[in-house]
Amino acid sequence: MSKLRVESFTLSLDGFGAGPDQDINHPLGVGGTSLHGWAIPTRTFQQKLFGSDGGETGIDDEFAARGFQNIGAWILGRNMFGPVRGPWPDESWRGWWGENPVYHVPVFVLTNHPRPPLVMDGGTTFYFVTEGAAVALERARRAAAGKDVRVGGGVHVIQQYLRQRLIDEMHIAISPVLLGSGERLFEGVNLPALGYACIKHAATARATHCVVSRR
């Protein structure tokens, strides 16, 4: 059965999933890039993001790799697509990833402002959904054709699906850094009351990996 999954989402020790003041120079907010010290060196991220044949194997890479397994569609918030706010001034912004993004499947972007679908190289098409999270999920499931749907973020998008108990499984990586401010993933979210529990955890030198599942 198709699942709704969060994968490789990293939190700081003080609970932040993104730093403050996101802009074109700080895609993850100020300090946010430091969260991903566990992921960048992995073979999976080196191949997916940089087209490199190198990279480290081991536990960190195993968790990075699982995030791309059996994924048929993604859901992103507007901020995850780019730093442009308000109505689209034009169609010049085409994402953070160049002309061949890492997704290679349909991606549904939650936004309040309509925009035509954006067809990219490698099988990625961005669809801009103005009707809300439920409609985005419905369309993503249909596009995934029986495979899982991955919620890429950001924080507020994940919270929307969590509060409705729609997320089946989350891989959270806890990075040994402190951000001090930003967006807290579990702010106001009572995971046990919603039926979630940690079913697996593993620690490496760069992160503690936790898998949280809905009972």
Side-chain angles (χ1 to χ4, degrees):
M1 180 178 177
S2 174
K3 292 182 178 180
L4 185 63
R5 293 160 46 195
V6 173
E7 296 286 348
S8 297
F9 197 87
T10 308
L11 300 182
S12 65
L13 280 175
D14 44 355
F16 295 104
D21 303 322
Q22 183 204 40
D23 59 25
I24 195 167
N25 296 313
H26 302 94
L28 301 174
V30 175
T33 303
S34 66
L35 294 173
H36 300 284
W38 72 271
I40 300 302
T42 64
R43 182 172 61 183
T44 296
F45 271 65
Q46 288 295 311
Q47 291 177 346
K48 296 286 188 183
L49 270 68
F50 308 114
S52 169
D53 291 331
E56 300 176 5
T57 58
I59 292 175
D60 287 332
D61 184 58
E62 290 170 7
F63 275 99
R66 61 168 266 160
F68 292 93
Q69 295 167 358
N70 198 45
I71 299 298
W74 287 61
I75 296 173
L76 300 180
R78 168 80 179 262
N79 292 355
M80 291 289 291
F81 177 74
V84 182
R85 302 291 183 267
W88 302 97
D90 51 44
E91 297 179 14
S92 60
W93 180 261
R94 297 170 65 83
W96 301 105
W97 315 273
E99 290 301 306
N100 190 357
V102 299
Y103 304 105
H104 307 301
V105 294
V107 180
F108 296 84
V109 180
L110 288 163
T111 176
N112 292 320
H113 303 280
R115 177 174 170 170
L118 175 59
V119 180
M120 309 292 282
D121 295 340
T124 301
T125 298
F126 293 103
Y127 297 95
F128 300 90
V129 181
T130 59
E131 297 92 339
V135 171
L137 178 56
E138 178 185 346
R139 293 180 183 174
R141 286 197 192 279
R142 189 182 310 126
K147 292 186 175 182
D148 295 341
V149 176
R150 178 171 169 177
V151 182
V155 165
H156 296 297
V157 172
I158 294 173
Q159 287 176 347
Q160 287 184 65
Y161 290 113
L162 270 180
R163 290 190 172 109
Q164 297 178 62
R165 300 184 73 250
L166 291 172
I167 291 177
D168 296 291
E169 191 169 276
M170 294 186 290
H171 161 227
I172 302 296
I174 302 170
S175 180
V177 300
L178 297 168
L179 291 186
S181 63
E183 299 177 4
R184 282 195 168 97
L185 178 61
F186 298 128
E187 185 78 37
V189 178
N190 187 333
L191 290 176
L194 292 170
Y196 291 93
C198 182
I199 61 169
K200 179 180 180 180
H201 60 88
T204 70
R206 296 192 178 108
T208 298
H209 299 278
C210 299
V211 178
V212 177
S213 179
R214 178 169 54 82
R215 295 191 292 264

